[in-house]
């Protein structure tokens, strides 16, 4: 590489144009350039490329190739701040049609290449992040506001990427772009145009380039809405309009469906509770996903997305946190979403022969996570299931087994209690199927499934023998306690476990230490 780079640095204009194309062909996929760490080759190459960009006598094609070469080099963070300066940033902004120069407007291909370079620089250079000031962002949002059907999809994509990057890496720009420049309105308009175009073409499929643009737009909107400082009625109205667009996008097919659904989920996660009703509009017909005259297609699609994410083997927190949090918020906000979601995840019990965590149903997959070592994910899933059970302890035990839910009960101070939180609808939703009633008496509430009667281990023992075995057990527990392997606890007045100094303390007030499993509640 160093031979080619040295040649480019000392090239004649004609050779230069050819050699930078060769550089792109040979090193276009590289992300680091250790070879440029000697003899200041990196600095000299940057300087030569910038000189070309400053030369108005060079062709637009050569300028584009220079920008493309700089884009490749800008993937490497090495000395990136040293290779940039105010003058160079302004030059690149001018080529991106975002600077203050007004002599001429670059070609679309040059603008797009400049935007790609600028994206890399924003991502890798703290210096560039600090230098992107209000005038530049104003011009960017103003251009986005003027988009029309002739605007390049690629230009829209990289304009939006710059909004995403700067709002992610420089938090103070979030309020500037949203509250002062009203950039969120432009972004929502892009999504609306994508949705409208699909409807006008009477197709149920989003083009790949439109899906990629939609994902980038939603990522930028997430940054703008994730930390609202002043949420106004206008913001609320705008968010409801946004969710109605997300509803439509969820119904379209696309090669990038999973990416689209992931970004929609992220946006729904930061929506105010009052806006979720928009995703369940009144039903227009009597289709498959109609529930109580309400269209649940979007909720059904999100449930399928949740099911796919539950099958992931890696990065469970990253794959599941957003979708589970979104469902927690939706089922809290909308009674109909909670009821429909409960029917899909916790339908009336029929299979009582297997533990709740066994199988491939949504209920089984979620119950498996109740004992996950990933406490953040475990607590999210427990909260989700608990809300679906209307925060009723007995109902939670029925569907998940006390052993799976005990950790959550301990955290919430619900051990030994059997109550339903106020605020839920009072109508019953019967879950006691014929199969459940037939085996009800043999269902072990700890495991949550049917168990054959087991012989009484104390049968045939004398009273003296029983007392001896009890004392042996006390001794073993005491030994484990002294070794720090276990910590006996009793249930306190707050419903949480409280450590005891000696196991004999457990003999005091024994009724308070029992959990009363009442599985006769109607759901």
């Amino acid at each position: 590489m160093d031979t080619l780079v040295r040649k480019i640095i000392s090239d004649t204009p004609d050779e230069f144009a050819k050699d930078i194309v060769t550089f792109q062909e040979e090193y276009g996929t590289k992300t680091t350039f250790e070879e440029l760490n000697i003899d200041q080759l990196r600095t000299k190459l940057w300087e030569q490329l910038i000189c070309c960009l400053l030369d108005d006598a060079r062709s637009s094609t050569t300028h584009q190739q220079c920008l493309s070469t700089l884009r490749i080099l800008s993937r490497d963070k090495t000395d990136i701040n040293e290779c940039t300066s105010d003058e160079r940033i302004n030059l690149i902004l001018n080529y991106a049609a975002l600077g203050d120069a007004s002599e001429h407007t670059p070609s679309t291909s040059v603008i797009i290449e400049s935007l790609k370079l600028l994206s890399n620089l924003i991502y890798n250079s703290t210096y560039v992040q600090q230098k992107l000031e209000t005038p530049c962002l104003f011009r960017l949002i103003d251009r986005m506001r003027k988009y029309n059907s002739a605007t390049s999809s690629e230009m829209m994509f990289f304009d939006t990427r710059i909004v995403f990057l700067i709002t992610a890496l420089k938090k103070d720009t979030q309020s500037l772009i949203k509250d002062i420049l009203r950039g969120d309105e432009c972004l929502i308009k892009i999504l609306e145009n994508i949705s409208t175009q699909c409807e006008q073409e009477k197709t149920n499929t989003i083009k790949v380039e439109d899906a990629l643009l939609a994902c980038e737009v939603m990522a930028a909107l997430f940054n703008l809405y994730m930390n609202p400082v002043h949420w106004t009625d206008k913001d609320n109205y705008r968010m409801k309009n946004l969710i109605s667009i997300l509803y439509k996008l969820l119904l379209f097919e696309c090669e990038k469906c999973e990416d689209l659904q992931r970004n929609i989920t992220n946006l729904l996660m930061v929506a105010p509770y009052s806006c979720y009703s928009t995703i369940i509009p009144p039903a227009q017909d009597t289709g498959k996903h109609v529930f109580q005259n309400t269209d649940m297609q979007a909720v059904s699609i999100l449930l399928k997305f949740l099911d796919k994410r539950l099958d992931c083997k890696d990065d469970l927190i990253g794959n599941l946190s957003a979708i589970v949090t979104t469902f927690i918020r939706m089922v809290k906000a909308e009674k109909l979403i909670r009821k429909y979601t409960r029917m899909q995840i916790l339908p009336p019990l029929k299979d009582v022969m297997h533990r709740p965590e066994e199988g491939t149903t949504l209920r089984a997959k979620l119950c498996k996570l109740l004992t996950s070592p990933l406490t953040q994910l475990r607590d999210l899933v427990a909260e989700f299931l608990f809300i679906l059970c209307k925060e009723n302890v007995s109902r939670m035990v029925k569907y998940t087994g006390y052993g799976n839910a005990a950790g959550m009960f301990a955290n919430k101070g619900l051990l030994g209690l059997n109550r339903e939180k106020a605020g839920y609808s009072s109508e019953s939703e019967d879950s006691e199927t014929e199969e459940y009633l037939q085996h009800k008496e043999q269902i072990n509430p700890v495991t949550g499934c049917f168990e054959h009667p087991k012989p009484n281990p104390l049968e045939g023992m004398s009273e003296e023998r029983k007392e001896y075995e009890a004392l042996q057990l006390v001794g073993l527990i005491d030994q484990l306690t002294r070794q720090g392997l276990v910590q006996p606890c009793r249930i306190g007045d707050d419903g949480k476990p409280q450590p005891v100094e000696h196991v004999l303390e457990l003999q005091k007030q024994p009724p308070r230490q029992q959990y009363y499993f009442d599985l006769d509640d109607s759901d």
Side-chain angles (χ1 to χ4, degrees), residues 29-62:
T29 59
K30 288 197 66 173
T31 57
T32 58
F33 302 92
E34 296 85 354
E35 301 90 337
L36 301 181
N37 295 341
I38 58 172
D39 297 338
Q40 294 185 315
L41 288 180
R42 189 188 313 276
T43 303
K44 293 175 182 177
L45 180 56
W46 266 81
E47 186 175 347
Q48 179 73 343
L49 292 166
I50 292 295
C51 286
C52 175
L53 291 174
L54 288 168
D55 186 355
D56 292 336
R58 301 290 185 105
S59 68
S60 175
T61 301
T62 302

Side-chain angles (χ1 to χ4, degrees), residues 316-317 368-378:
L316 286 176
I317 293 178
K368 286 176 187 175
L369 295 174
L370 291 176
T371 53
S372 169
L374 304 172
T375 55
Q376 177 187 343
L377 182 59
R378 179 197 68 198

